[in-house]
Amino acid sequence: MKKAAIAVAVVGVIIALYVGTHRHAGDHKALSSSAAAMAPALTMVDLSGNKIETASYRGKVVLINFWAAWCTPCTEEIPQFIAFQDKYRGQGFQILGISMDDQENALRQFYAKYQMNYPVVIGNQRIAQDYGGILGLPTSFLVGRDGRIQQKYAGVTDFARLEHDIAALLQAGK
Amino acid sequence: MKGIENRLHGRGGVAAALTVLVVTCLALIAAAQSRGNAIPSSELPPGSPELIQPEELVKTLASRGAKPLVLYVGPRFLYAQAHIPGAEFIGAASDPQSLDRLRKRAAALPKNSRIVLYCGCCPWEHCPNIRPAFKELQKMGFKNVKALYMANSFGADWAEKGYPVEKGEAR
């Protein structure tokens, strides 16, 4: 029995070492309530021609996703974002995509092909700076109902973690 | 007696099964590693000699010796916010126009020039720019080209480490 336990432990360590050295998890930073800054107010026109004012999102939990159509890890996340938008819309959840694409045509093609169910605006340097600098994609921010940035996710998103955070903010009424 | 034999047989069976499990795991890992080793160097797998680590480049750029030419082959928005001081903007090498710009820039250089390419737009294995740029310079006959390895992004692997940056639009 002892040998069996040792063998299982050895296998576990081997697998853990392998997984640990072959996976780049995204960076996930929770902000304490005192550090949580107000999300910058944006007024822009989205790809469908609708005026987007993020101030009107107050009272909702909002995910701001910086991405680009050429960025593979970004585009791989879009179907999951679409699913989250569908699942939590009724509870007051809203996603806003901010594209950092240089080429608008590729972005529009992607947007249409994936039938994205949330607004996407075209980003610029000012918006990136307002969010503290976007020095890599994908990068997302989760904003509470009070308009404060609660979480930052840099790199490939851990969706289990993100969904947990979304659900917690929706329930907290924060 | 028979009960003892059965128990021994049962233990032996468990031990044998576990041995098979361990050997299988090791074999799978070895297979995965050998696949990794089989990746061509132009694909720039982590650990390949064609890569330069950020800390090494920082030291090189800070030294008094000859500096390599640093070419940025990523998207415009990233360069404008922060880039390695002195790095020249080429543009996202996944775009044929930028690749053409790279060819033109490199055409005037001696083939033994020390060149460092970097992007940092997104996690290394997904970067659509660094490999096309590296392959292009290889194709042109440049032998002294390194790609700056940033596992996650320019933000995580350079700027947030406190390495020097400058801002400004591409010239």
PDB file of all heavy atoms in Angstrom, chain A residues 131-166:
ATOM      1  N   TYR A 131      -6.290  53.067 -19.723  1.00  0.00           N
ATOM      2  CA  TYR A 131      -6.376  51.806 -18.970  1.00  0.00           C
ATOM      3  C   TYR A 131      -5.012  51.380 -18.424  1.00  0.00           C
ATOM      4  O   TYR A 131      -4.794  50.217 -18.120  1.00  0.00           O
ATOM      5  CB  TYR A 131      -7.001  50.708 -19.841  1.00  0.00           C
ATOM      6  CG  TYR A 131      -8.507  50.739 -19.763  1.00  0.00           C
ATOM      7  CD1 TYR A 131      -9.252  51.572 -20.591  1.00  0.00           C
ATOM      8  CD2 TYR A 131      -9.198  49.980 -18.820  1.00  0.00           C
ATOM      9  CE1 TYR A 131     -10.636  51.630 -20.503  1.00  0.00           C
ATOM     10  CE2 TYR A 131     -10.568  50.028 -18.719  1.00  0.00           C
ATOM     11  CZ  TYR A 131     -11.282  50.853 -19.561  1.00  0.00           C
ATOM     12  OH  TYR A 131     -12.645  50.901 -19.450  1.00  0.00           O
ATOM     13  N   GLY A 132      -4.100  52.321 -18.353  1.00  0.00           N
ATOM     14  CA  GLY A 132      -2.810  52.039 -17.728  1.00  0.00           C
ATOM     15  C   GLY A 132      -1.775  51.458 -18.672  1.00  0.00           C
ATOM     16  O   GLY A 132      -0.722  51.006 -18.237  1.00  0.00           O
ATOM     17  N   GLY A 133      -2.094  51.452 -19.967  1.00  0.00           N
ATOM     18  CA  GLY A 133      -1.161  50.889 -20.940  1.00  0.00           C
ATOM     19  C   GLY A 133      -1.524  49.446 -21.248  1.00  0.00           C
ATOM     20  O   GLY A 133      -1.659  48.638 -20.321  1.00  0.00           O
ATOM     21  N   ILE A 134      -1.711  49.163 -22.522  1.00  0.00           N
ATOM     22  CA  ILE A 134      -2.025  47.792 -22.944  1.00  0.00           C
ATOM     23  C   ILE A 134      -0.797  47.289 -23.691  1.00  0.00           C
ATOM     24  O   ILE A 134      -0.632  47.534 -24.887  1.00  0.00           O
ATOM     25  CB  ILE A 134      -3.279  47.757 -23.853  1.00  0.00           C
ATOM     26  CG1 ILE A 134      -4.475  48.401 -23.138  1.00  0.00           C
ATOM     27  CG2 ILE A 134      -3.607  46.324 -24.267  1.00  0.00           C
ATOM     28  CD1 ILE A 134      -4.900  47.727 -21.842  1.00  0.00           C
ATOM     29  N   LEU A 135       0.065  46.596 -22.962  1.00  0.00           N
ATOM     30  CA  LEU A 135       1.353  46.178 -23.535  1.00  0.00           C
ATOM     31  C   LEU A 135       1.364  44.688 -23.835  1.00  0.00           C
ATOM     32  O   LEU A 135       2.373  44.004 -23.615  1.00  0.00           O
ATOM     33  CB  LEU A 135       2.495  46.567 -22.593  1.00  0.00           C
ATOM     34  CG  LEU A 135       2.634  48.066 -22.318  1.00  0.00           C
ATOM     35  CD1 LEU A 135       3.810  48.335 -21.391  1.00  0.00           C
ATOM     36  CD2 LEU A 135       2.791  48.849 -23.615  1.00  0.00           C
ATOM     37  N   GLY A 136       0.265  44.204 -24.332  1.00  0.00           N
ATOM     38  CA  GLY A 136       0.152  42.810 -24.715  1.00  0.00           C
ATOM     39  C   GLY A 136      -1.317  42.447 -24.817  1.00  0.00           C
ATOM     40  O   GLY A 136      -2.157  43.040 -24.137  1.00  0.00           O
ATOM     41  N   LEU A 137      -1.596  41.491 -25.680  1.00  0.00           N
ATOM     42  CA  LEU A 137      -2.978  41.042 -25.866  1.00  0.00           C
ATOM     43  C   LEU A 137      -3.045  39.532 -25.619  1.00  0.00           C
ATOM     44  O   LEU A 137      -2.064  38.842 -25.850  1.00  0.00           O
ATOM     45  CB  LEU A 137      -3.445  41.343 -27.300  1.00  0.00           C
ATOM     46  CG  LEU A 137      -3.536  42.819 -27.688  1.00  0.00           C
ATOM     47  CD1 LEU A 137      -3.938  42.925 -29.162  1.00  0.00           C
ATOM     48  CD2 LEU A 137      -4.508  43.588 -26.808  1.00  0.00           C
ATOM     49  N   PRO A 138      -4.189  39.018 -25.214  1.00  0.00           N
ATOM     50  CA  PRO A 138      -5.367  39.773 -24.783  1.00  0.00           C
ATOM     51  C   PRO A 138      -5.177  40.333 -23.376  1.00  0.00           C
ATOM     52  O   PRO A 138      -4.439  39.782 -22.575  1.00  0.00           O
ATOM     53  CB  PRO A 138      -6.470  38.700 -24.784  1.00  0.00           C
ATOM     54  CG  PRO A 138      -5.744  37.407 -24.524  1.00  0.00           C
ATOM     55  CD  PRO A 138      -4.401  37.551 -25.155  1.00  0.00           C
ATOM     56  N   THR A 139      -5.884  41.420 -23.112  1.00  0.00           N
ATOM     57  CA  THR A 139      -5.943  41.988 -21.763  1.00  0.00           C
ATOM     58  C   THR A 139      -7.385  42.385 -21.491  1.00  0.00           C
ATOM     59  O   THR A 139      -8.019  43.030 -22.328  1.00  0.00           O
ATOM     60  CB  THR A 139      -5.033  43.227 -21.638  1.00  0.00           C
ATOM     61  OG1 THR A 139      -3.671  42.849 -21.874  1.00  0.00           O
ATOM     62  CG2 THR A 139      -5.115  43.841 -20.248  1.00  0.00           C
ATOM     63  N   SER A 140      -7.882  41.993 -20.341  1.00  0.00           N
ATOM     64  CA  SER A 140      -9.281  42.306 -20.007  1.00  0.00           C
ATOM     65  C   SER A 140      -9.379  42.904 -18.605  1.00  0.00           C
ATOM     66  O   SER A 140      -8.512  42.660 -17.757  1.00  0.00           O
ATOM     67  CB  SER A 140     -10.145  41.036 -20.056  1.00  0.00           C
ATOM     68  OG  SER A 140     -10.157  40.503 -21.359  1.00  0.00           O
ATOM     69  N   PHE A 141     -10.431  43.674 -18.411  1.00  0.00           N
ATOM     70  CA  PHE A 141     -10.707  44.290 -17.114  1.00  0.00           C
ATOM     71  C   PHE A 141     -12.152  43.972 -16.742  1.00  0.00           C
ATOM     72  O   PHE A 141     -13.054  44.108 -17.582  1.00  0.00           O
ATOM     73  CB  PHE A 141     -10.533  45.812 -17.185  1.00  0.00           C
ATOM     74  CG  PHE A 141      -9.132  46.247 -17.523  1.00  0.00           C
ATOM     75  CD1 PHE A 141      -8.728  46.349 -18.848  1.00  0.00           C
ATOM     76  CD2 PHE A 141      -8.213  46.527 -16.518  1.00  0.00           C
ATOM     77  CE1 PHE A 141      -7.441  46.739 -19.175  1.00  0.00           C
ATOM     78  CE2 PHE A 141      -6.909  46.920 -16.836  1.00  0.00           C
ATOM     79  CZ  PHE A 141      -6.524  47.028 -18.171  1.00  0.00           C
ATOM     80  N   LEU A 142     -12.356  43.589 -15.507  1.00  0.00           N
ATOM     81  CA  LEU A 142     -13.715  43.346 -15.026  1.00  0.00           C
ATOM     82  C   LEU A 142     -14.118  44.511 -14.132  1.00  0.00           C
ATOM     83  O   LEU A 142     -13.428  44.829 -13.150  1.00  0.00           O
ATOM     84  CB  LEU A 142     -13.773  42.024 -14.259  1.00  0.00           C
ATOM     85  CG  LEU A 142     -15.159  41.508 -13.908  1.00  0.00           C
ATOM     86  CD1 LEU A 142     -16.012  41.283 -15.165  1.00  0.00           C
ATOM     87  CD2 LEU A 142     -15.059  40.196 -13.129  1.00  0.00           C
ATOM     88  N   VAL A 143     -15.206  45.138 -14.518  1.00  0.00           N
ATOM     89  CA  VAL A 143     -15.657  46.353 -13.834  1.00  0.00           C
ATOM     90  C   VAL A 143     -16.938  46.040 -13.064  1.00  0.00           C
ATOM     91  O   VAL A 143     -17.867  45.429 -13.611  1.00  0.00           O
ATOM     92  CB  VAL A 143     -15.922  47.476 -14.872  1.00  0.00           C
ATOM     93  CG1 VAL A 143     -16.371  48.754 -14.182  1.00  0.00           C
ATOM     94  CG2 VAL A 143     -14.671  47.725 -15.713  1.00  0.00           C
ATOM     95  N   GLY A 144     -16.977  46.454 -11.815  1.00  0.00           N
ATOM     96  CA  GLY A 144     -18.148  46.198 -10.984  1.00  0.00           C
ATOM     97  C   GLY A 144     -19.307  47.137 -11.305  1.00  0.00           C
ATOM     98  O   GLY A 144     -19.159  48.090 -12.077  1.00  0.00           O
ATOM     99  N   ARG A 145     -20.443  46.877 -10.666  1.00  0.00           N
ATOM    100  CA  ARG A 145     -21.632  47.709 -10.922  1.00  0.00           C
ATOM    101  C   ARG A 145     -21.399  49.156 -10.509  1.00  0.00           C
ATOM    102  O   ARG A 145     -22.081  50.062 -10.990  1.00  0.00           O
ATOM    103  CB  ARG A 145     -22.829  47.143 -10.140  1.00  0.00           C
ATOM    104  CG  ARG A 145     -23.304  45.768 -10.621  1.00  0.00           C
ATOM    105  CD  ARG A 145     -24.540  45.358  -9.837  1.00  0.00           C
ATOM    106  NE  ARG A 145     -24.888  43.950  -9.975  1.00  0.00           N
ATOM    107  CZ  ARG A 145     -25.657  43.444 -10.938  1.00  0.00           C
ATOM    108  NH1 ARG A 145     -26.136  44.226 -11.883  1.00  0.00           N
ATOM    109  NH2 ARG A 145     -25.938  42.160 -10.944  1.00  0.00           N
ATOM    110  N   ASP A 146     -20.424  49.358  -9.612  1.00  0.00           N
ATOM    111  CA  ASP A 146     -20.125  50.718  -9.164  1.00  0.00           C
ATOM    112  C   ASP A 146     -19.166  51.450 -10.099  1.00  0.00           C
ATOM    113  O   ASP A 146     -18.754  52.576  -9.828  1.00  0.00           O
ATOM    114  CB  ASP A 146     -19.529  50.683  -7.742  1.00  0.00           C
ATOM    115  CG  ASP A 146     -18.266  49.833  -7.654  1.00  0.00           C
ATOM    116  OD1 ASP A 146     -17.844  49.265  -8.706  1.00  0.00           O
ATOM    117  OD2 ASP A 146     -17.691  49.720  -6.561  1.00  0.00           O
ATOM    118  N   GLY A 147     -18.792  50.792 -11.194  1.00  0.00           N
ATOM    119  CA  GLY A 147     -17.924  51.446 -12.167  1.00  0.00           C
ATOM    120  C   GLY A 147     -16.448  51.324 -11.857  1.00  0.00           C
ATOM    121  O   GLY A 147     -15.619  51.903 -12.557  1.00  0.00           O
ATOM    122  N   ARG A 148     -16.105  50.562 -10.814  1.00  0.00           N
ATOM    123  CA  ARG A 148     -14.693  50.416 -10.457  1.00  0.00           C
ATOM    124  C   ARG A 148     -14.107  49.138 -11.064  1.00  0.00           C
ATOM    125  O   ARG A 148     -14.776  48.098 -11.107  1.00  0.00           O
ATOM    126  CB  ARG A 148     -14.524  50.370  -8.929  1.00  0.00           C
ATOM    127  CG  ARG A 148     -14.839  51.700  -8.277  1.00  0.00           C
ATOM    128  CD  ARG A 148     -14.513  51.688  -6.794  1.00  0.00           C
ATOM    129  NE  ARG A 148     -14.839  52.980  -6.219  1.00  0.00           N
ATOM    130  CZ  ARG A 148     -14.051  54.047  -6.271  1.00  0.00           C
ATOM    131  NH1 ARG A 148     -12.870  53.957  -6.849  1.00  0.00           N
ATOM    132  NH2 ARG A 148     -14.418  55.189  -5.750  1.00  0.00           N
ATOM    133  N   ILE A 149     -12.845  49.242 -11.494  1.00  0.00           N
ATOM    134  CA  ILE A 149     -12.149  48.081 -12.044  1.00  0.00           C
ATOM    135  C   ILE A 149     -11.803  47.145 -10.890  1.00  0.00           C
ATOM    136  O   ILE A 149     -11.081  47.520  -9.965  1.00  0.00           O
ATOM    137  CB  ILE A 149     -10.866  48.506 -12.791  1.00  0.00           C
ATOM    138  CG1 ILE A 149     -11.224  49.371 -14.009  1.00  0.00           C
ATOM    139  CG2 ILE A 149     -10.071  47.274 -13.237  1.00  0.00           C
ATOM    140  CD1 ILE A 149     -10.027  49.986 -14.711  1.00  0.00           C
ATOM    141  N   GLN A 150     -12.324  45.926 -10.964  1.00  0.00           N
ATOM    142  CA  GLN A 150     -12.117  44.962  -9.877  1.00  0.00           C
ATOM    143  C   GLN A 150     -11.014  43.957 -10.179  1.00  0.00           C
ATOM    144  O   GLN A 150     -10.368  43.447  -9.274  1.00  0.00           O
ATOM    145  CB  GLN A 150     -13.419  44.213  -9.584  1.00  0.00           C
ATOM    146  CG  GLN A 150     -14.565  45.112  -9.149  1.00  0.00           C
ATOM    147  CD  GLN A 150     -14.327  45.772  -7.795  1.00  0.00           C
ATOM    148  OE1 GLN A 150     -13.593  45.242  -6.963  1.00  0.00           O
ATOM    149  NE2 GLN A 150     -14.919  46.938  -7.566  1.00  0.00           N
ATOM    150  N   GLN A 151     -10.853  43.623 -11.458  1.00  0.00           N
ATOM    151  CA  GLN A 151      -9.862  42.610 -11.826  1.00  0.00           C
ATOM    152  C   GLN A 151      -9.212  42.986 -13.150  1.00  0.00           C
ATOM    153  O   GLN A 151      -9.860  43.584 -14.006  1.00  0.00           O
ATOM    154  CB  GLN A 151     -10.545  41.235 -12.040  1.00  0.00           C
ATOM    155  CG  GLN A 151     -11.387  40.739 -10.900  1.00  0.00           C
ATOM    156  CD  GLN A 151     -10.584  40.062  -9.814  1.00  0.00           C
ATOM    157  OE1 GLN A 151      -9.378  39.877  -9.946  1.00  0.00           O
ATOM    158  NE2 GLN A 151     -11.238  39.697  -8.725  1.00  0.00           N
ATOM    159  N   LYS A 152      -7.957  42.574 -13.288  1.00  0.00           N
ATOM    160  CA  LYS A 152      -7.276  42.690 -14.578  1.00  0.00           C
ATOM    161  C   LYS A 152      -6.763  41.306 -14.964  1.00  0.00           C
ATOM    162  O   LYS A 152      -6.198  40.598 -14.135  1.00  0.00           O
ATOM    163  CB  LYS A 152      -6.099  43.668 -14.485  1.00  0.00           C
ATOM    164  CG  LYS A 152      -5.320  43.789 -15.783  1.00  0.00           C
ATOM    165  CD  LYS A 152      -4.133  44.732 -15.650  1.00  0.00           C
ATOM    166  CE  LYS A 152      -3.357  44.784 -16.962  1.00  0.00           C
ATOM    167  NZ  LYS A 152      -2.172  45.658 -16.875  1.00  0.00           N
ATOM    168  N   TYR A 153      -6.991  40.922 -16.210  1.00  0.00           N
ATOM    169  CA  TYR A 153      -6.520  39.633 -16.712  1.00  0.00           C
ATOM    170  C   TYR A 153      -5.597  39.907 -17.900  1.00  0.00           C
ATOM    171  O   TYR A 153      -6.056  40.439 -18.916  1.00  0.00           O
ATOM    172  CB  TYR A 153      -7.682  38.761 -17.191  1.00  0.00           C
ATOM    173  CG  TYR A 153      -8.817  38.670 -16.202  1.00  0.00           C
ATOM    174  CD1 TYR A 153      -9.841  39.621 -16.202  1.00  0.00           C
ATOM    175  CD2 TYR A 153      -8.872  37.633 -15.273  1.00  0.00           C
ATOM    176  CE1 TYR A 153     -10.885  39.554 -15.300  1.00  0.00           C
ATOM    177  CE2 TYR A 153      -9.919  37.560 -14.363  1.00  0.00           C
ATOM    178  CZ  TYR A 153     -10.915  38.524 -14.382  1.00  0.00           C
ATOM    179  OH  TYR A 153     -11.948  38.458 -13.484  1.00  0.00           O
ATOM    180  N   ALA A 154      -4.332  39.571 -17.772  1.00  0.00           N
ATOM    181  CA  ALA A 154      -3.382  39.783 -18.868  1.00  0.00           C
ATOM    182  C   ALA A 154      -2.940  38.432 -19.406  1.00  0.00           C
ATOM    183  O   ALA A 154      -2.588  37.546 -18.640  1.00  0.00           O
ATOM    184  CB  ALA A 154      -2.180  40.578 -18.386  1.00  0.00           C
ATOM    185  N   GLY A 155      -2.995  38.287 -20.717  1.00  0.00           N
ATOM    186  CA  GLY A 155      -2.616  37.005 -21.315  1.00  0.00           C
ATOM    187  C   GLY A 155      -3.832  36.104 -21.482  1.00  0.00           C
ATOM    188  O   GLY A 155      -4.976  36.559 -21.352  1.00  0.00           O
ATOM    189  N   VAL A 156      -3.537  34.845 -21.748  1.00  0.00           N
ATOM    190  CA  VAL A 156      -4.619  33.887 -22.003  1.00  0.00           C
ATOM    191  C   VAL A 156      -5.527  33.793 -20.775  1.00  0.00           C
ATOM    192  O   VAL A 156      -5.057  33.598 -19.662  1.00  0.00           O
ATOM    193  CB  VAL A 156      -4.028  32.503 -22.349  1.00  0.00           C
ATOM    194  CG1 VAL A 156      -5.133  31.481 -22.566  1.00  0.00           C
ATOM    195  CG2 VAL A 156      -3.146  32.609 -23.590  1.00  0.00           C
ATOM    196  N   THR A 157      -6.827  33.968 -21.007  1.00  0.00           N
ATOM    197  CA  THR A 157      -7.767  34.044 -19.894  1.00  0.00           C
ATOM    198  C   THR A 157      -8.066  32.674 -19.286  1.00  0.00           C
ATOM    199  O   THR A 157      -8.293  31.704 -20.013  1.00  0.00           O
ATOM    200  CB  THR A 157      -9.094  34.675 -20.377  1.00  0.00           C
ATOM    201  OG1 THR A 157      -8.806  35.934 -20.965  1.00  0.00           O
ATOM    202  CG2 THR A 157     -10.072  34.862 -19.235  1.00  0.00           C
ATOM    203  N   ASP A 158      -8.063  32.630 -17.973  1.00  0.00           N
ATOM    204  CA  ASP A 158      -8.516  31.450 -17.246  1.00  0.00           C
ATOM    205  C   ASP A 158     -10.032  31.618 -17.094  1.00  0.00           C
ATOM    206  O   ASP A 158     -10.508  32.374 -16.250  1.00  0.00           O
ATOM    207  CB  ASP A 158      -7.810  31.405 -15.886  1.00  0.00           C
ATOM    208  CG  ASP A 158      -8.304  30.269 -15.003  1.00  0.00           C
ATOM    209  OD1 ASP A 158      -9.358  29.677 -15.320  1.00  0.00           O
ATOM    210  OD2 ASP A 158      -7.644  29.983 -14.003  1.00  0.00           O
ATOM    211  N   PHE A 159     -10.783  30.928 -17.933  1.00  0.00           N
ATOM    212  CA  PHE A 159     -12.226  31.172 -17.977  1.00  0.00           C
ATOM    213  C   PHE A 159     -12.970  30.703 -16.730  1.00  0.00           C
ATOM    214  O   PHE A 159     -14.003  31.275 -16.381  1.00  0.00           O
ATOM    215  CB  PHE A 159     -12.830  30.567 -19.248  1.00  0.00           C
ATOM    216  CG  PHE A 159     -12.668  31.484 -20.424  1.00  0.00           C
ATOM    217  CD1 PHE A 159     -11.671  31.270 -21.350  1.00  0.00           C
ATOM    218  CD2 PHE A 159     -13.476  32.595 -20.576  1.00  0.00           C
ATOM    219  CE1 PHE A 159     -11.487  32.142 -22.414  1.00  0.00           C
ATOM    220  CE2 PHE A 159     -13.298  33.477 -21.623  1.00  0.00           C
ATOM    221  CZ  PHE A 159     -12.302  33.248 -22.550  1.00  0.00           C
ATOM    222  N   ALA A 160     -12.458  29.663 -16.101  1.00  0.00           N
ATOM    223  CA  ALA A 160     -13.108  29.228 -14.860  1.00  0.00           C
ATOM    224  C   ALA A 160     -13.007  30.346 -13.821  1.00  0.00           C
ATOM    225  O   ALA A 160     -13.974  30.673 -13.113  1.00  0.00           O
ATOM    226  CB  ALA A 160     -12.445  27.953 -14.351  1.00  0.00           C
ATOM    227  N   ARG A 161     -11.828  30.943 -13.763  1.00  0.00           N
ATOM    228  CA  ARG A 161     -11.592  32.041 -12.819  1.00  0.00           C
ATOM    229  C   ARG A 161     -12.453  33.254 -13.192  1.00  0.00           C
ATOM    230  O   ARG A 161     -13.074  33.878 -12.323  1.00  0.00           O
ATOM    231  CB  ARG A 161     -10.103  32.410 -12.871  1.00  0.00           C
ATOM    232  CG  ARG A 161      -9.709  33.583 -12.026  1.00  0.00           C
ATOM    233  CD  ARG A 161      -9.610  33.184 -10.581  1.00  0.00           C
ATOM    234  NE  ARG A 161      -9.903  34.312  -9.725  1.00  0.00           N
ATOM    235  CZ  ARG A 161      -9.745  34.302  -8.418  1.00  0.00           C
ATOM    236  NH1 ARG A 161      -9.332  33.213  -7.809  1.00  0.00           N
ATOM    237  NH2 ARG A 161     -10.037  35.348  -7.691  1.00  0.00           N
ATOM    238  N   LEU A 162     -12.472  33.556 -14.484  1.00  0.00           N
ATOM    239  CA  LEU A 162     -13.243  34.719 -14.935  1.00  0.00           C
ATOM    240  C   LEU A 162     -14.729  34.542 -14.621  1.00  0.00           C
ATOM    241  O   LEU A 162     -15.374  35.459 -14.104  1.00  0.00           O
ATOM    242  CB  LEU A 162     -13.049  34.922 -16.444  1.00  0.00           C
ATOM    243  CG  LEU A 162     -13.917  36.017 -17.070  1.00  0.00           C
ATOM    244  CD1 LEU A 162     -13.623  37.379 -16.463  1.00  0.00           C
ATOM    245  CD2 LEU A 162     -13.718  36.067 -18.591  1.00  0.00           C
ATOM    246  N   GLU A 163     -15.250  33.362 -14.906  1.00  0.00           N
ATOM    247  CA  GLU A 163     -16.686  33.149 -14.659  1.00  0.00           C
ATOM    248  C   GLU A 163     -16.987  33.243 -13.164  1.00  0.00           C
ATOM    249  O   GLU A 163     -18.011  33.803 -12.760  1.00  0.00           O
ATOM    250  CB  GLU A 163     -17.135  31.799 -15.213  1.00  0.00           C
ATOM    251  CG  GLU A 163     -18.648  31.613 -15.078  1.00  0.00           C
ATOM    252  CD  GLU A 163     -19.195  30.500 -15.945  1.00  0.00           C
ATOM    253  OE1 GLU A 163     -18.413  29.611 -16.341  1.00  0.00           O
ATOM    254  OE2 GLU A 163     -20.413  30.526 -16.227  1.00  0.00           O
ATOM    255  N   HIS A 164     -16.088  32.711 -12.370  1.00  0.00           N
ATOM    256  CA  HIS A 164     -16.252  32.816 -10.920  1.00  0.00           C
ATOM    257  C   HIS A 164     -16.315  34.291 -10.499  1.00  0.00           C
ATOM    258  O   HIS A 164     -17.167  34.695  -9.694  1.00  0.00           O
ATOM    259  CB  HIS A 164     -15.080  32.104 -10.233  1.00  0.00           C
ATOM    260  CG  HIS A 164     -15.018  32.320  -8.755  1.00  0.00           C
ATOM    261  ND1 HIS A 164     -14.334  33.377  -8.181  1.00  0.00           N
ATOM    262  CD2 HIS A 164     -15.564  31.627  -7.730  1.00  0.00           C
ATOM    263  CE1 HIS A 164     -14.465  33.328  -6.875  1.00  0.00           C
ATOM    264  NE2 HIS A 164     -15.202  32.273  -6.566  1.00  0.00           N
ATOM    265  N   ASP A 165     -15.409  35.089 -11.069  1.00  0.00           N
ATOM    266  CA  ASP A 165     -15.356  36.515 -10.710  1.00  0.00           C
ATOM    267  C   ASP A 165     -16.612  37.255 -11.174  1.00  0.00           C
ATOM    268  O   ASP A 165     -17.135  38.114 -10.463  1.00  0.00           O
ATOM    269  CB  ASP A 165     -14.109  37.170 -11.338  1.00  0.00           C
ATOM    270  CG  ASP A 165     -12.810  36.639 -10.745  1.00  0.00           C
ATOM    271  OD1 ASP A 165     -12.850  36.043  -9.652  1.00  0.00           O
ATOM    272  OD2 ASP A 165     -11.757  36.808 -11.390  1.00  0.00           O
ATOM    273  N   ILE A 166     -17.060  36.921 -12.382  1.00  0.00           N
ATOM    274  CA  ILE A 166     -18.272  37.568 -12.907  1.00  0.00           C
ATOM    275  C   ILE A 166     -19.462  37.240 -12.006  1.00  0.00           C
ATOM    276  O   ILE A 166     -20.216  38.126 -11.583  1.00  0.00           O
ATOM    277  CB  ILE A 166     -18.566  37.090 -14.355  1.00  0.00           C
ATOM    278  CG1 ILE A 166     -17.500  37.616 -15.322  1.00  0.00           C
ATOM    279  CG2 ILE A 166     -19.958  37.546 -14.811  1.00  0.00           C
ATOM    280  CD1 ILE A 166     -17.561  36.982 -16.711  1.00  0.00           C
TER     281      ILE A 166
END
